[in-house]
Amino acid sequence: MNLDELFNVNSVCLVGASREEGKVGNVVLKNLKKNFKGEIILVHPVADEIEGIRCHKSIDSIPHPVDLGVVSLPSVKALEAVSELAEKGCKICIPVAGGFGEQGEEGKKLEEKMREISDRSGTRIIGPNCVGVIIPRIGLNTALTSGDKSEFPSDGPIGFVSQSGALGLLAMDEFTDSGIRFSSFVSLGNEIDVDETEMVRALERDGQTKSIALYLEKISEIDEFLKACRSASEKKGIVVLKGGQTESGNRATSLHTGSLLKTSFSLRGIFRQNGIIQASNEIELIDFAWALSSAKPVRGRKVAVVSSAGGVGVIATDILEMQGFKVNRTSDQLAGKIKSMISQIGSPFNPIDMTAEATNIQYENVIREIDKSGEFDSILAFVLFQTFGVTEDIIDFLDRFNRTSSVPIVVGMIGGQYSREIFRKMTQRGIPVFPSIHRAVGALSALYERGEFLRRFER
Amino acid sequence: MNLDELFNVNSVCLVGASREEGKVGNVVLKNLKKNFKGEIILVHPVADEIEGIRCHKSIDSIPHPVDLGVVSLPSVKALEAVSELAEKGCKICIPVAGGFGEQGEEGKKLEEKMREISDRSGTRIIGPNCVGVIIPRIGLNTALTSGDKSEFPSDGPIGFVSQSGALGLLAMDEFTDSGIRFSSFVSLGNEIDVDETEMVRALERDGQTKSIALYLEKISEIDEFLKACRSASEKKGIVVLKGGQTESGNRATSLHTGSLLKTSFSLRGIFRQNGIIQASNEIELIDFAWALSSAKPVRGRKVAVVSSAGGVGVIATDILEMQGFKVNRTSDQLAGKIKSMISQIGSPFNPIDMTAEATNIQYENVIREIDKSGEFDSILAFVLFQTFGVTEDIIDFLDRFNRTSSVPIVVGMIGGQYSREIFRKMTQRGIPVFPSIHRAVGALSALYERGEFLRRFER
């Protein structure tokens, strides 16, 4: 069956629901109930209802078809449930419990049997030993974390695939809080059927996904994976965080997800050739994916830096130049125009320092003038809201400029609660904004790498 | 006069207060009023009162002595006011306005005259062309940012000195929001009297300052500065972010703070020899200072990584090993002990993965066991609150352990609003906690550099 059905699930059957607070079967049920827009069906051998939802005694006794089966039962029982769900024509099954291949030979045999069920029936299986999926557009959440302790993300452009359920959920929680939105989160677990390659293909086809972020510890079939990325990356940005690149890290992945990847070759080079941008930590993974989905690719190294704080311009310039960008001086003509627009004590050369006297209209005028000049390949604008002249009214302009300008823009911010609230409004509007100097520069680097990759197809 | 008086200011005289919303003289007054615990005296030629505070017609007519004079007047008038304040025996003067050396020859002459006043009278001058100072312990704030848009920091261990007022205020705002506390913030401006070297000496003497963070674009007398740092660093950690290290960055600093520093020599080496730890952006600057003031120095490269999320342990291990740390395997004996303490599906080897089943008591037991074993030089513990078994009750243990253990600990967290609230509680308690994997590892690197430096004195 088609994995794409995941984005359109209308009914979920939970096998192994529990009424006991804190138990996996209870946590999953509460998370499912909280936002899911479709029907929830429970299966329980004795209970009549749990959390206000009627229970069926068996899978067999459910009178209608089921799109998705979530199985929260220990390994042997999970296998039985998956088998029954498959017989019923269930499209996708997610066994969330562990106790399979990661536990040794017995578990591997169970996995083999589960794989056979999938092959025979066509039911797709995500997992086992995973936290499952989150599909914001339909409110689907099969995860195990406490819903009271983390936020449910809004529908958005980033497709997130992780070989560590916990790492994925932690990163989602952090970025959801700053307004970053996701088309999907898929925890792959032991990958007896659906793997990273197939998820890349499914996310390539999904219209709402604009960039793909993957946390990977193993890559089952590297050639197939690269081929899938190569194809997807013609349309969408792909970012990979590869866990286990050092000797001790690799030892750790073998204990965590049960497999080793020999990385004697240079991953970075192979990744780059296939349109994959490498992240070095969980923040870069989502930052880069956000940049790739919200900003235009950058086609050259010349950056105009605009700021209302001289020191911010200086540090941004240092970091940019250290990463191979050029913060070259504005032409006399452009400098003259900018000089007439900003405070007398500001600097119209690059980095452009509008000083604390900067206003929304100054930001707008300067940014537009840079765009018109054609002197730069991108604009890095630090919009700092702590002064009097800059207000959130500037969001409209930044949104419009980001969508219509000829030069790509990345916005940087620094600050506490007041800033963070505006930050969230910006991400919700789809503005490529980042909360520190080096993270803003990092985003620009990812956009430059994307621009370089796309250039190949234009020759 | 002694610069140390800055920490004990009892009365502030503001010359140039304004009742007009948004004007510098009004913003400064409001910020002064908001938290200052001493007396505020206003001088205004015509107004009887502003913002409810009675005004004196002239400095001369103030009937009692004044500790600190804040002068918010344009250059020529600022010079007059500073002269009168000095005559009155004012201990420290802060002319906040620009229009001096950074504006050319005329301004330089004014600076020369102001310096003469300082030399003759002994009145210390911070600035001009600066946002002044923030001293949380006495509620003093002479800064220009809107108090509604940024938070006032609490008293704490970090002494922060900046040659960019805006950059400093932005970073303060961000870190104050996450509960990081400061003993002082000083914006140096044009440094006609008080400079970075003298501030290092003053902060060395200040009992409440445990680490010193400096954002520098120029270093007036490099030998003196290094000598001061060398002395202070025997007792306190020092972190420097040097703006203008690249060619374009250096061009930018010459426009921003009006001076060039030739950096043909390796700053990093010279800094390191004198106990200065280098930061490469505003986040590292304060992160490192926070680490140095809240955690013990790290005396070796062997790190135990503890986590309840396998992927987090894997990435931490990769980053640590890439930075020269060793995440070596636990001994069989230690592994055996840890295995009996954690979930059956966890891993007792290093990185130690307690899985999502981790509880407060498991964290405590494992961390204590690592300390006892003597196998590691530091512990990097990712305490992830999104699961059921981990609650904020663990803060007590972490606080106690941080103060009493033989092995230094650094705590990492990842997450949204719920996590951030607990994060704030931890920083308020003085726990060295950092909000991402690479920032936690960065903190550990700074602590290791500090440990290496201190080792010299122990031989």
Side-chain angles (χ1 to χ4, degrees):
Chain A
M1 263 175 257
N2 197 330
L3 184 59
D4 300 5
E5 300 287 342
L6 189 61
F7 302 108
N8 304 305
V9 164
N10 284 311
S11 58
V12 174
C13 170
L14 174 60
V15 190
S18 164
R19 60 172 94 241
E20 204 177 317
E21 185 94 13
K23 280 255 178 192
V24 173
N26 186 266
V27 177
V28 172
L29 174 55
K30 280 186 178 156
N31 283 336
L32 257 181
K33 261 186 74 178
K34 211 164 186 177
N35 300 285
F36 186 51
K37 294 168 182 166
E39 186 193 6
I40 298 171
I41 302 148
L42 300 186
V43 172
H44 198 281
V46 289
D48 286 332
E49 64 83 31
I50 299 174
E51 298 281 336
I53 300 176
R54 192 171 78 88
C55 296
H56 295 267
K57 294 277 173 263
S58 67
I59 292 166
D60 193 46
S61 64
I62 304 169
H64 48 70
V66 160
D67 286 346
L68 178 71
V70 178
V71 179
S72 169
L73 292 172
S75 48
V76 178
K77 290 199 166 174
L79 183 67
E80 283 169 28
V82 168
S83 172
E84 287 173 41
L85 282 160
E87 251 169 69
K88 229 186 143 52
C90 178
K91 291 169 184 167
I92 298 165
C93 256
I94 306 178
V96 293
F100 289 86
E102 81 283 3
Q103 294 274 63
E105 281 315 307
E106 280 306 303
K108 282 196 181 131
K109 277 182 201 157
L110 291 173
E111 282 189 358
E112 201 43 60
K113 285 181 189 161
M114 207 180 264
R115 192 184 332 242
E116 279 165 22
I117 294 169
S118 169
D119 287 348
R120 203 170 48 230
S121 63
T123 295
R124 307 310 309 264
I125 294 174
I126 297 172
N129 189 27
C130 68
V131 302
V133 302
I134 297 175
I135 312 287
R137 79 186 72 159
I138 52 171
L140 179 66
N141 181 5
T142 75
L144 302 177
T145 44
S146 159
D148 300 334
K149 288 174 156 190
S150 50
E151 279 176 76
F152 187 76
S154 299
D155 187 27
I158 302 173
F160 186 9
V161 179
S162 181
Q163 283 175 348
S164 166
L167 178 87
L169 292 174
L170 292 165
M172 291 269 285
D173 185 26
E174 163 136 2
F175 281 89
T176 294
D177 183 56
S178 57
I180 303 295
R181 293 158 290 114
F182 296 83
S183 66
S184 51
F185 168 71
V186 177
S187 158
L188 290 173
N190 293 2
E191 302 189 353
I192 62 161
D193 174 28
V194 175
D195 66 3
E196 59 283 353
T197 300
E198 191 155 9
M199 277 313 303
V200 168
R201 291 200 185 109
L203 290 169
E204 178 184 355
R205 289 187 297 266
D206 176 49
Q208 262 155 280
T209 300
K210 299 211 158 32
S211 67
I212 303 170
L214 300 109
Y215 172 68
L216 300 179
E217 294 191 353
K218 61 187 170 194
I219 300 173
S220 312
E221 294 175 57
I222 185 98
D223 292 340
E224 282 302 303
F225 175 71
L226 294 174
K227 220 171 98 182
C229 289
R230 180 69 175 67
S231 164
S233 63
E234 289 180 29
K235 286 176 276 174
K236 308 179 180 194
I238 301 180
V239 189
V240 168
L241 171 58
K242 174 64 186 70
Q245 294 197 61
T246 60
E247 206 185 309
S248 295
N250 208 7
R251 176 167 52 75
T253 62
S254 79
L255 292 164
H256 181 222
T257 46
S259 64
L260 287 159
L261 176 70
K262 298 289 172 217
T263 51
S264 51
F265 53 83
S266 156
L267 263 189
R268 189 169 289 275
I270 291 180
F271 275 4
R272 194 173 288 216
Q273 274 173 20
N274 292 280
I276 301 166
I277 294 164
Q278 214 178 350
S280 57
N281 57 61
E282 83 284 6
I283 303 292
E284 282 190 357
L285 179 63
I286 308 298
D287 268 0
F288 291 0
W290 174 241
L292 293 167
S293 69
S294 61
K296 297 185 181 74
V298 170
R299 307 295 182 133
R301 294 195 176 277
K302 287 177 289 174
V303 188
V305 178
V306 180
S307 165
S308 62
V312 172
V314 168
I315 300 171
T317 299
D318 276 346
I319 302 177
L320 282 163
E321 296 246 333
M322 284 173 192
Q323 299 205 6
F325 286 100
K326 295 310 295 174
V327 184
N328 46 315
R329 196 182 173 284
T330 46
S331 70
D332 287 342
Q333 201 192 0
L334 179 57
K337 280 186 188 154
I338 293 173
K339 191 151 183 54
S340 71
M341 296 169 169
I342 65 175
S343 160
Q344 216 190 317
I345 54 165
S347 168
F349 310 111
N350 197 17
I352 294 152
D353 178 7
M354 300 192 295
T355 81
E357 293 175 29
T359 60
N360 288 0
I361 193 74
Q362 287 179 9
Y363 268 104
E364 289 191 27
N365 289 340
V366 169
I367 288 169
R368 277 217 192 87
E369 209 56 56
I370 295 166
D371 187 26
K372 265 201 325 210
S373 76
E375 293 181 20
F376 296 94
D377 303 305
S378 67
I379 300 171
L380 184 53
F382 291 93
V383 185
L384 307 164
F385 288 85
Q386 286 88 342
T387 53
F388 276 89
V390 183
T391 68
E392 62 179 274
D393 290 343
I394 204 171
I395 294 176
D396 277 340
F397 164 73
L398 291 170
D399 179 18
R400 210 166 48 244
F401 186 85
N402 178 46
R403 285 185 284 103
T404 59
S405 68
S406 47
V407 176
I409 190 168
V410 162
V411 179
M413 288 177 71
I414 304 175
Q417 207 187 328
Y418 179 84
S419 285
R420 196 169 33 248
E421 275 162 32
I422 297 180
F423 187 93
R424 215 176 278 128
K425 288 179 188 173
M426 287 208 195
T427 53
Q428 281 158 358
R429 287 283 287 273
I431 296 166
V433 58
F434 300 87
S436 81
I437 302 174
H438 76 281
R439 285 174 67 177
V441 173
L444 211 64
S445 298
L447 292 169
Y448 177 74
E449 202 174 318
R450 176 101 185 115
E452 284 289 283
F453 177 76
L454 291 177
R455 194 182 285 186
R456 295 204 225 158
F457 303 100
E458 294 157 0
R459 275 175 203 147
Chain B
M1 263 175 261
N2 197 331
L3 183 60
D4 301 6
E5 300 286 343
L6 188 61
F7 301 108
N8 305 305
V9 163
N10 284 310
S11 58
V12 174
C13 170
L14 174 60
V15 191
S18 164
R19 61 172 94 242
E20 203 177 317
E21 184 94 14
K23 280 256 178 192
V24 173
N26 186 266
V27 178
V28 172
L29 175 54
K30 281 187 177 154
N31 283 337
L32 257 182
K33 261 186 73 178
K34 211 163 187 178
N35 300 285
F36 186 52
K37 293 168 183 168
E39 186 192 5
I40 298 171
I41 301 148
L42 300 185
V43 173
H44 198 281
V46 289
D48 285 331
E49 65 83 31
I50 299 174
E51 298 279 337
I53 300 176
R54 192 171 79 86
C55 296
H56 295 267
K57 293 278 174 264
S58 66
I59 292 166
D60 193 46
S61 64
I62 304 169
H64 48 70
V66 160
D67 287 346
L68 178 71
V70 178
V71 179
S72 168
L73 291 171
S75 48
V76 178
K77 290 197 165 176
L79 182 68
E80 282 170 30
V82 167
S83 171
E84 288 172 41
L85 283 162
E87 249 169 71
K88 229 185 144 52
C90 179
K91 292 169 183 166
I92 298 165
C93 258
I94 305 178
V96 293
F100 288 86
E102 80 284 3
Q103 294 274 62
E105 281 314 308
E106 278 306 303
K108 281 194 182 131
K109 279 181 200 157
L110 291 173
E111 282 190 357
E112 201 43 61
K113 285 181 189 161
M114 207 180 263
R115 190 182 335 239
E116 280 165 22
I117 295 169
S118 170
D119 288 348
R120 203 170 48 228
S121 62
T123 295
R124 308 308 310 264
I125 293 174
I126 297 172
N129 189 28
C130 67
V131 301
V133 302
I134 297 174
I135 312 287
R137 79 187 72 160
I138 53 171
L140 180 64
N141 181 4
T142 76
L144 302 176
T145 42
S146 160
D148 301 333
K149 288 175 156 190
S150 49
E151 280 176 77
F152 187 77
S154 299
D155 187 27
I158 301 173
F160 186 9
V161 179
S162 181
Q163 283 176 348
S164 166
L167 178 87
L169 292 174
L170 293 165
M172 291 268 285
D173 185 25
E174 164 137 3
F175 281 89
T176 294
D177 183 56
S178 56
I180 303 294
R181 293 158 291 114
F182 297 84
S183 66
S184 50
F185 168 72
V186 177
S187 157
L188 290 173
N190 293 1
E191 302 189 351
I192 62 162
D193 175 26
V194 175
D195 66 3
E196 59 283 352
T197 301
E198 190 154 9
M199 277 313 302
V200 168
R201 291 199 185 109
L203 290 169
E204 178 184 355
R205 289 187 299 267
D206 176 48
Q208 265 158 278
T209 300
K210 298 210 159 30
S211 67
I212 303 171
L214 299 111
Y215 172 69
L216 301 178
E217 294 191 353
K218 62 188 168 193
I219 300 173
S220 311
E221 294 174 58
I222 185 97
D223 291 341
E224 282 302 302
F225 175 71
L226 294 174
K227 220 171 97 183
C229 289
R230 181 69 175 65
S231 164
S233 62
E234 289 180 28
K235 286 176 276 176
K236 308 177 181 198
I238 301 181
V239 189
V240 168
L241 171 59
K242 174 66 185 71
Q245 294 195 61
T246 60
E247 206 186 309
S248 295
N250 208 5
R251 175 168 52 75
T253 62
S254 79
L255 292 164
H256 181 221
T257 47
S259 65
L260 286 159
L261 175 71
K262 298 289 171 215
T263 52
S264 51
F265 52 84
S266 156
L267 262 189
R268 189 170 289 275
I270 291 179
F271 275 3
R272 195 173 288 215
Q273 273 173 23
N274 291 281
I276 300 166
I277 294 165
Q278 214 177 352
S280 57
N281 56 60
E282 82 283 7
I283 303 292
E284 282 190 358
L285 179 63
I286 309 298
D287 267 1
F288 291 0
W290 174 241
L292 293 167
S293 69
S294 62
K296 297 185 180 75
V298 170
R299 307 295 182 133
R301 294 196 176 276
K302 288 176 289 174
V303 188
V305 177
V306 180
S307 165
S308 61
V312 171
V314 168
I315 300 171
T317 298
D318 276 345
I319 302 177
L320 282 164
E321 295 247 333
M322 283 174 193
Q323 298 203 7
F325 286 101
K326 294 310 293 173
V327 184
N328 46 314
R329 196 180 174 286
T330 47
S331 70
D332 286 343
Q333 201 192 358
L334 179 56
K337 281 186 187 152
I338 294 173
K339 191 150 184 55
S340 71
M341 296 169 167
I342 65 175
S343 160
Q344 215 190 318
I345 55 166
S347 168
F349 310 111
N350 197 16
I352 294 151
D353 178 7
M354 301 193 295
T355 80
E357 294 176 27
T359 61
N360 288 359
I361 194 74
Q362 286 178 9
Y363 268 105
E364 289 194 31
N365 288 341
V366 169
I367 289 169
R368 278 215 192 88
E369 208 57 54
I370 294 166
D371 187 25
K372 267 203 320 211
S373 76
E375 293 180 20
F376 296 94
D377 303 305
S378 67
I379 300 171
L380 184 53
F382 290 93
V383 186
L384 308 165
F385 288 85
Q386 287 87 342
T387 51
F388 276 90
V390 183
T391 68
E392 63 178 272
D393 290 344
I394 203 171
I395 294 176
D396 278 339
F397 164 73
L398 292 170
D399 180 18
R400 210 165 50 244
F401 186 85
N402 178 46
R403 285 185 283 104
T404 60
S405 68
S406 47
V407 175
I409 190 168
V410 162
V411 178
M413 288 176 70
I414 304 173
Q417 208 187 330
Y418 180 84
S419 286
R420 196 168 33 248
E421 274 162 33
I422 297 180
F423 187 93
R424 216 176 279 126
K425 289 180 188 172
M426 287 209 194
T427 54
Q428 280 159 358
R429 288 282 286 273
I431 297 165
V433 58
F434 300 87
S436 80
I437 302 174
H438 75 282
R439 285 174 67 177
V441 173
L444 210 65
S445 299
L447 292 168
Y448 177 74
E449 203 174 317
R450 177 100 185 117
E452 283 289 282
F453 178 77
L454 291 177
R455 195 182 284 185
R456 295 203 226 159
F457 303 99
E458 294 158 358
R459 274 175 202 148

